[in-house]
Amino acid sequence: KKKLFGSVPARVEIGYEEKEETARKTQDEGTVYATNGNDGDSDGERAVEFLRGLFEIMKLPAVTELTGENEKIVINVTTTDSNALIGKRGAVLDAVQTLAGAVANTGRDDYKRVVVDCENYRENREETLKKLAGNLEKKAVRMGRKIKLEAMNPYERRIIHSEIQSIENISTHSVGSDENRKIVCTFSLNMI
């Protein structure tokens, strides 16, 4: 036998589980919905099942709830360690959402949006960004020069752009590439 990583022997265990027991076990481990693991699971249920396994690997005690599956799949996660799940400026939560989206859209012809949220983080972050846009407008007018913000993901930049778009004499555009893309806010007097 070869050893895995030099010191731990490779070992495979094969077992049989009845479908009813799988549903009960899944519910006991923190997932709100019950599934029997059939291929007939909905896209959202597959994503929730994937997240349950991911959180188990991360050793993150979490309850995962599928709250919507119509226009978009909405998954709410409750955990005792929300900081670990959300990460700095939502980076971990965004990564988890990307993975859940990939799982939910596997085998689909059309893309279905997946939103993973933890303790209303996304709604709270949107409100914070709207306030930031208002403060940014005032600061640009007061200083009369370009103001560059920190790097943001596309969703957050879109919120800032849309908030400032309707304001006269203020314009925004993005500079940089990939994860270093930032918003630049410019104040200009339009002389006619």
Side-chain angles (χ1 to χ4, degrees):
K1 291 182 179 179
K2 290 185 179 181
K3 293 186 175 185
L4 183 63
F5 302 117
S7 64
V8 179
R11 195 171 130 198
V12 177
E13 291 183 23
I14 299 174
Y16 172 77
E17 244 180 67
E18 289 186 30
K19 291 179 182 177
E20 289 179 41
E21 187 173 303
T22 303
R24 188 174 60 254
K25 182 180 176 188
T26 301
Q27 214 167 20
D28 291 345
E29 292 177 355
T31 304
V32 172
Y33 79 94
T35 180
N36 58 12
N38 288 337
D39 289 335
D41 288 346
S42 71
D43 300 329
E45 289 170 337
R46 282 197 328 266
V48 167
E49 182 65 24
F50 168 78
L51 290 178
R52 186 192 64 75
L54 178 65
F55 297 147
E56 191 175 301
I57 291 168
M58 292 172 65
K59 297 186 183 343
L60 187 67
V63 176
T64 310
E65 180 183 9
L66 180 62
T67 59
E69 200 171 4
N70 294 332
E71 306 87 42
K72 61 184 175 185
I73 296 170
V74 181
I75 301 169
N76 190 36
V77 180
T78 307
T79 180
T80 56
D81 192 2
S82 59
N83 290 336
L85 178 58
I86 294 170
K88 186 176 181 182
R89 292 191 193 101
V92 176
L93 191 61
D94 288 344
V96 166
Q97 178 173 290
T98 300
L99 292 172
V103 169
N105 284 291
T106 300
R108 288 182 58 91
D109 292 333
D110 58 330
Y111 180 80
K112 193 165 194 177
R113 186 167 173 240
V114 175
V115 176
V116 178
D117 198 3
C118 178
E119 298 179 12
N120 285 335
Y121 170 79
R122 298 204 183 278
E123 185 178 320
N124 295 338
R125 180 69 175 158
E126 187 171 330
E127 288 303 313
T128 301
L129 290 170
K130 287 179 179 180
K131 288 177 186 174
L132 174 65
N135 293 338
L136 182 63
E137 171 215 345
K138 292 173 188 169
K139 187 174 181 180
V141 170
R142 188 178 70 243
M143 298 179 78
R145 63 178 175 89
K146 292 181 180 181
I147 298 172
K148 191 182 285 190
L149 294 179
E150 64 191 29
M152 295 181 187
N153 66 38
Y155 172 73
E156 293 178 341
R157 288 195 314 271
R158 193 175 310 119
I159 291 170
I160 299 283
H161 286 305
S162 66
E163 283 295 308
I164 294 180
Q165 181 179 15
S166 62
I167 301 169
E168 199 172 314
N169 298 329
I170 304 285
S171 64
T172 59
H173 65 279
S174 296
V175 296
S177 61
D178 300 328
E179 69 272 352
N180 293 320
R181 205 145 167 81
K182 301 175 181 183
I183 290 181
V184 176
C185 183
T186 309
F187 171 73
S188 62
L189 289 174
N190 294 332
M191 300 281 204
I192 300 178

